[in-house]
Amino acid sequence: MSVQLTEDVHWVGSCEDAGEGRHVHVSVYFIDTGDEYVLVDAGPPHETDIGDEVDRLTGGAGVDTLLLTHTNMPHTGHAREYADRGVRVLSATDIPEEFGGYGELWNRDETVELAGREFSFPKPPMTDHVYSLWLYDHGSGVLFSSEALGNYHPPGRCEAVWEESGDEVSRAEVEAYVRDRLPWVRYVAPEKLESTLRNRLDGYDVSYVAPGHGTPVAGEHLDAYLDRLMDVVREVAGEWSGPSDAARS
Amino acid sequence: MDAMDEPPPWYDPAGEVHAQFNAYLFAGEETLLFDTLPPNMREDVLDALDTVLDGRGLDYLVVSHPEAPHGGNAGAILDAHPDAELLVPETDELHDLALGSAVEDHGEVTDGDELDLGSHAVEFCRSPMFDLAATTWMYERETGALFTVDAYGNAHSAAAGECGRFVDELTDDPEAFTTQRWLGFHSHTFPWFAYVEPERLAAEIEALVDRFDPELVAPAHGAPIREDAVGYLRRLVPVIERISDLGLGQDIRVTELA
């Protein structure tokens, strides 16, 4: 699949069966900066369609830079192959040798010039894994949010983008994703998470939020998405009555 | 408990600070390896298995969660020990992606599942402190060891000879140890601690104490604790309280090690 989000950013995703009649995205994003071709994440190891789509988008030239928001699967499936082909690989981990020895480190909360435009790497206010970073492309205004701001989706809506009605992402799909992938929300004070999340996002002029495992959200609908997400967080955190309940959830 | 402006006493600026990667092998009547070490330590773990097992096979390989530092050598270990049964946490996630096609044939474990190894017996338990949602902790009854995976870790000084040491060999001051080594480690490893209601995780820790009353704490990224294990389990609570007070963006590790 390939969906153009902005003039220079394409969503090149793959979809996996997440059980219970749901799909989950394992997304890769392609950026044409004008100077270079950049890929955000490398997809799962068994996925080959992404490489074919990248070849189509680059006219066979391939990408120049690979930016990894995560250093674990399924974000890094083909990272080693890109590195072996001479692609510059930038990794969010500070111990890249743990993951095969390729890649350069990028640092949190820095803004740097890469591939002819500015990128920022905000520390994720919501993540599963310490070795992950968000990525903000100042040229396109796309914020790549890795594990956060994700959702499941039903088969047949794999290429939907939240642009208009809000029906593109249901509350149930957000809730299921949060319960499965970010179950630590059961321990949180929702207002602490919400203030940090909104404050962090307020620092960026977002054209799209581009998650690793969810439906891209147009910037004008981000507040509505966050309202839905925080409603889920308040529900999950509000269910807490002790460890035995956590064991059953 | 305060984050420190000065480097802690254990830090030697002339030497390397090491992160630790532990896998644990039971080599009794039946054999079980808990975690695999990361890919860059592949030969190390394969050689260690050869040395300890001394010609015996591996019966079980348990991967605590499908992430490279813990499961990145699963395929290689199963290639070397093809009769071993791979066990991973129950999950809807596609964990086999992280472990490679060689390990698609596996079993899943969930909270309360038990495994009799003859001389040892293990019980799997839900992890209350995790990065990936699909994470299992493990308790072994004969040794009283609780395997806490990413929790209860610490950095150490290679120059000071701290590699391969137990906590009781690193300190005789538990309070100082947790302040100097756990605050930074846990704020870094569990960024979501910044948002938690600490009493909820305190309740989780008490539930673990009630359930297992462990005599050993065996983390994946720190020195194993063989004295006052329950006391150390509880000492994480004020660390969590401090991280929650500080909120996100306070990279305490930088202050600890700068």
Side-chain angles (χ1 to χ4, degrees):
Chain A
M1 60 175 280
S2 178
V3 176
Q4 187 165 2
L5 296 180
T6 70
E7 183 180 350
D8 44 11
V9 177
H10 291 251
W11 175 27
V12 185
S14 66
C15 245
E16 307 286 357
D17 181 358
E20 300 181 23
R22 296 188 296 240
H23 279 191
V24 63
H25 291 294
V26 185
S27 294
V28 168
Y29 295 92
F30 172 84
I31 308 171
D32 180 356
T33 70
D35 288 351
E36 286 189 20
Y37 298 126
V38 176
L39 208 58
V40 178
D41 282 340
H46 64 269
E47 177 60 62
T48 56
D49 291 347
I50 290 171
D52 294 342
E53 184 58 23
V54 168
D55 281 344
R56 187 188 71 79
L57 289 166
T58 64
V63 296
D64 304 288
T65 299
L66 169 64
L67 306 176
L68 298 174
T69 66
H70 257 57
T71 44
N72 62 318
M73 301 289 188
H75 301 264
T76 59
H78 296 282
R80 184 77 212 202
E81 297 162 31
Y82 284 108
D84 289 345
R85 292 207 298 266
V87 172
R88 182 187 187 192
V89 179
L90 282 154
S91 154
T93 181
D94 60 355
I95 45 171
E97 68 274 15
E98 306 294 337
F99 301 88
Y102 56 83
E104 303 169 43
L105 170 69
W106 66 31
N107 291 313
R108 294 178 171 197
D109 292 326
E110 274 192 344
T111 296
V112 299
E113 185 166 321
L114 278 172
R117 63 170 59 171
E118 281 192 335
F119 288 88
S120 294
F121 309 117
K123 185 173 183 175
M126 194 174 191
T127 185
D128 60 344
H129 196 283
V130 63
Y131 297 118
S132 70
L133 283 183
W134 284 12
L135 168 64
Y136 179 70
D137 171 15
H138 289 260
S140 67
V142 176
L143 177 74
F144 303 93
S145 66
S146 198
E147 301 296 299
L149 313 183
N151 56 275
Y152 293 127
H153 64 274
R157 300 218 344 244
C158 303
E159 298 188 11
V161 175
W162 189 344
E163 291 180 313
E164 293 181 2
S165 69
D167 293 336
E168 292 87 352
V169 182
S170 75
R171 185 191 183 285
E173 290 158 353
V174 174
E175 179 181 341
Y177 179 87
V178 168
R179 288 185 185 277
D180 285 354
R181 304 299 180 103
L182 303 168
W184 49 262
V185 300
R186 72 169 70 106
Y187 301 120
V188 307
E191 64 278 9
K192 291 185 72 175
L193 173 59
E194 181 168 18
S195 64
T196 305
L197 187 56
R198 289 188 187 275
N199 286 341
R200 186 58 60 103
L201 288 168
D202 282 347
Y204 299 94
D205 183 12
V206 176
S207 64
Y208 276 91
V209 166
H213 302 296
T215 301
V217 180
E220 59 266 36
H221 300 294
L222 184 54
D223 277 342
Y225 178 90
L226 291 175
D227 289 345
R228 191 166 291 181
L229 172 64
M230 289 313 305
D231 189 50
V232 168
V233 170
R234 279 187 287 274
E235 177 178 324
V236 174
E239 292 169 355
W240 170 269
S241 63
S244 59
D245 286 326
R248 285 193 295 270
S249 64
Chain B
M1 177 179 292
D2 294 316
M4 293 165 290
D5 294 326
E6 299 296 325
W10 66 269
Y11 172 62
D12 180 353
E16 292 183 341
V17 171
H18 280 186
Q20 194 151 328
F21 293 87
N22 298 327
Y24 295 94
L25 175 63
F26 289 94
E29 289 180 36
E30 290 197 283
T31 58
L32 180 149
L33 180 66
F34 187 71
D35 276 348
T36 77
L37 303 183
N40 65 321
M41 298 178 182
R42 183 161 298 162
E43 294 307 314
D44 297 315
V45 70
L46 291 172
D47 288 348
L49 282 172
D50 285 348
T51 299
V52 177
L53 294 177
D54 192 24
R56 299 175 61 196
L58 183 66
D59 296 307
Y60 297 99
L61 172 61
V62 179
V63 173
S64 64
H65 58 306
E67 178 199 66
H70 299 266
N73 294 320
I77 291 170
L78 291 172
D79 286 345
H81 298 273
D83 293 331
E85 180 178 356
L86 175 67
L87 299 173
V88 299
E90 186 182 44
T91 175
D92 290 334
E93 294 183 52
L94 301 168
H95 44 255
D96 55 331
L97 297 181
L99 301 171
S101 58
V103 295
E104 287 177 352
D105 185 16
H106 59 260
E108 293 188 338
V109 297
T110 190
D111 188 86
D113 284 353
E114 299 178 2
L115 201 55
D116 185 354
L117 304 176
S119 53
H120 298 85
V122 300
E123 179 176 344
F124 298 97
C125 70
R126 180 183 54 83
S127 165
M129 289 171 267
F130 47 82
D131 49 23
L132 299 188
T135 299
T136 186
W137 286 11
M138 189 177 81
Y139 175 72
E140 197 288 308
R141 294 196 187 110
E142 182 68 21
T143 55
L146 180 64
F147 299 86
T148 56
V149 189
D150 285 326
Y152 294 95
N154 61 274
H156 63 269
S157 167
E162 292 186 340
C163 299
R165 301 292 186 185
F166 293 90
V167 164
D168 59 89
E169 296 175 309
L170 301 179
T171 186
D172 56 6
D173 185 345
E175 301 302 332
F177 182 85
T178 55
T179 302
Q180 295 169 4
R181 312 238 193 181
W182 282 6
L183 193 60
F185 177 87
H186 290 84
S187 69
H188 178 72
T189 304
F190 304 107
W192 52 270
F193 277 13
Y195 310 123
V196 300
E197 302 274 18
E199 63 272 20
R200 296 188 178 192
L201 286 174
E204 292 279 16
I205 291 169
E206 285 307 309
L208 286 166
V209 170
D210 289 345
R211 180 173 171 182
F212 298 122
D213 191 20
E215 296 177 33
L216 291 165
V217 177
H221 301 303
I225 300 165
R226 59 183 179 181
E227 294 182 2
D228 190 21
V230 169
Y232 270 101
L233 285 176
R234 289 174 170 150
R235 286 185 191 99
L236 190 57
V237 175
V239 173
I240 295 167
E241 289 171 343
R242 184 63 181 138
I243 296 169
S244 178
D245 285 345
L246 287 168
L248 194 73
Q250 303 296 316
D251 197 338
I252 304 163
R253 192 175 64 158
V254 171
T255 335
E256 278 192 3
L257 303 181

